Amino acid sequence: QDLSSFHSAEEKFMEQLTIFTKKQFFKGVAGMSGEEQSCHLLDTTNPEQCLLQGESNSAVQEACSELARLRSLFTESELQRVHAETAAAETEACCALLEKQISSSFSTGQLRTHEELSLQLAEKKAKLKQCKDQLRQLSEDALPSALSELATLQDTHILSGNYQLKLARQSYFLDKQQDLIDHLLKQRARHELITMVLELEQQRHREVHHVLAAVERQLMACTERFDSMQTVLSNPALK
């Protein structure tokens, strides 16, 4: 079957798709949803810079207060994280020690007496109390001061800008990109369908070719037999 109509339709489709793409993603389309807005880092040490850029005093003070709140929460959040990691490490160490003791008891095959276990328990409790005292001293004295000093060294920035406008632009581009992808997927589906049909037709042609080749061989064999019989009958001795 002639596929010229299909190729012609695909060429027209690609032309229309190219026009659609250029129309939706042309240069400067980002500015259609409003004035171009820039993002900048908020500097709490120099609020006058934001005022010079046209922002209101209340917005600057609100942003500075938010940044100060985030910095004040840093020490407490880091302290909670350290305590959580310490508790997790303590649990893992206890499990590892318990598994080691159980494995040692089964490997030796000897059970300890009540006195030996009581003595070992007292030693472990004394070591545990010493470790807890050291940990309490670190968590109450050294760790908070270290985290407070670390908080002063943190370079925390807040990116200020018109996020609603940027989200609207991003949503616009994503929707148009999805439309373009849908059109390309449909085109690919058409091509795969044509390819599958052509492969089926090619398989049918192969089968017909095999049949015709077999018929040709049979006809050639019949022709050879006919020629041999004609040669025999044309012999004058047989007349």
Side-chain angles (χ1 to χ4, degrees):
Q1 186 179 1
D2 187 13
L3 296 178
S4 58
S5 59
F6 172 76
H7 293 308
S8 177
E10 284 299 313
E11 290 179 359
K12 292 181 180 179
F13 170 79
M14 288 304 300
E15 291 177 359
Q16 294 296 326
L17 187 62
T18 303
I19 295 174
F20 170 80
T21 305
K22 291 181 178 180
K23 181 179 179 181
Q24 301 300 330
F25 301 100
F26 65 89
K27 185 178 180 180
V29 68
M32 291 183 60
S33 55
E35 293 185 2
E36 185 66 25
Q37 298 290 332
S38 61
C39 292
H40 58 275
L41 294 175
L42 176 64
D43 187 7
T44 56
T45 61
N46 187 17
E48 290 79 7
Q49 180 180 2
C50 298
L51 293 177
L52 292 176
Q53 294 175 354
E55 298 185 10
S56 61
N57 187 24
S58 60
V60 174
Q61 294 299 329
E62 182 180 357
C64 293
S65 300
E66 179 65 14
L67 182 56
R69 186 185 69 83
L70 294 176
R71 286 180 175 173
S72 65
L73 293 177
F74 174 79
T75 302
E76 182 179 356
S77 62
E78 285 296 303
L79 188 61
Q80 293 177 357
R81 182 183 64 82
V82 171
H83 287 166
E85 292 182 356
T86 304
E90 179 183 359
T91 303
E92 292 179 359
C94 291
C95 293
L97 180 61
L98 182 59
E99 291 178 357
K100 181 179 179 181
Q101 291 180 350
I102 293 174
S103 177
S104 177
S105 299
F106 279 107
S107 61
T108 57
Q110 296 180 356
L111 298 177
R112 298 182 181 181
T113 62
H114 182 271
E115 290 77 8
E116 292 177 347
L117 293 175
S118 298
L119 180 61
Q120 185 179 10
L121 179 61
E123 293 177 356
K124 297 297 182 182
K125 285 184 176 180
K127 291 182 180 180
L128 180 61
K129 183 177 183 301
Q130 183 180 0
C131 292
K132 286 185 176 181
D133 292 339
Q134 294 177 356
L135 180 61
R136 185 181 303 108
Q137 182 179 3
L138 289 175
S139 61
E140 292 179 356
D141 299 332
L143 186 59
S145 59
L147 291 177
S148 298
E149 184 178 358
L150 180 61
T152 59
L153 301 177
Q154 289 293 317
D155 190 14
T156 305
H157 298 290
I158 292 181
L159 190 63
S160 178
N162 192 341
Y163 297 107
Q164 295 298 329
L165 178 59
K166 296 183 181 299
L167 288 175
R169 292 174 180 171
Q170 187 69 18
S171 178
Y172 168 82
F173 283 115
L174 290 177
D175 291 341
K176 298 304 178 182
Q177 287 176 0
Q178 187 60 46
D179 292 340
L180 181 60
I181 291 173
D182 291 339
H183 288 303
L184 293 175
L185 288 176
K186 292 177 181 178
Q187 184 186 43
R188 179 181 177 182
R190 291 195 299 270
H191 288 175
E192 290 180 352
L193 178 60
I194 293 297
T195 302
M196 183 177 63
V197 171
L198 291 176
E199 289 177 354
L200 291 175
E201 187 174 357
Q202 184 180 19
Q203 181 65 26
R204 297 293 183 271
H205 285 309
R206 289 197 187 100
E207 294 175 357
V208 172
H209 174 72
H210 292 326
V211 172
L212 292 176
V215 171
E216 182 183 9
R217 288 193 296 269
Q218 291 179 0
L219 290 175
M220 291 180 64
C222 292
T223 303
E224 291 176 356
R225 288 196 299 269
F226 177 78
D227 292 340
S228 62
M229 291 176 62
Q230 188 177 8
T231 302
V232 172
L233 293 174
S234 62
N235 190 353
L238 299 177
K239 294 182 180 180

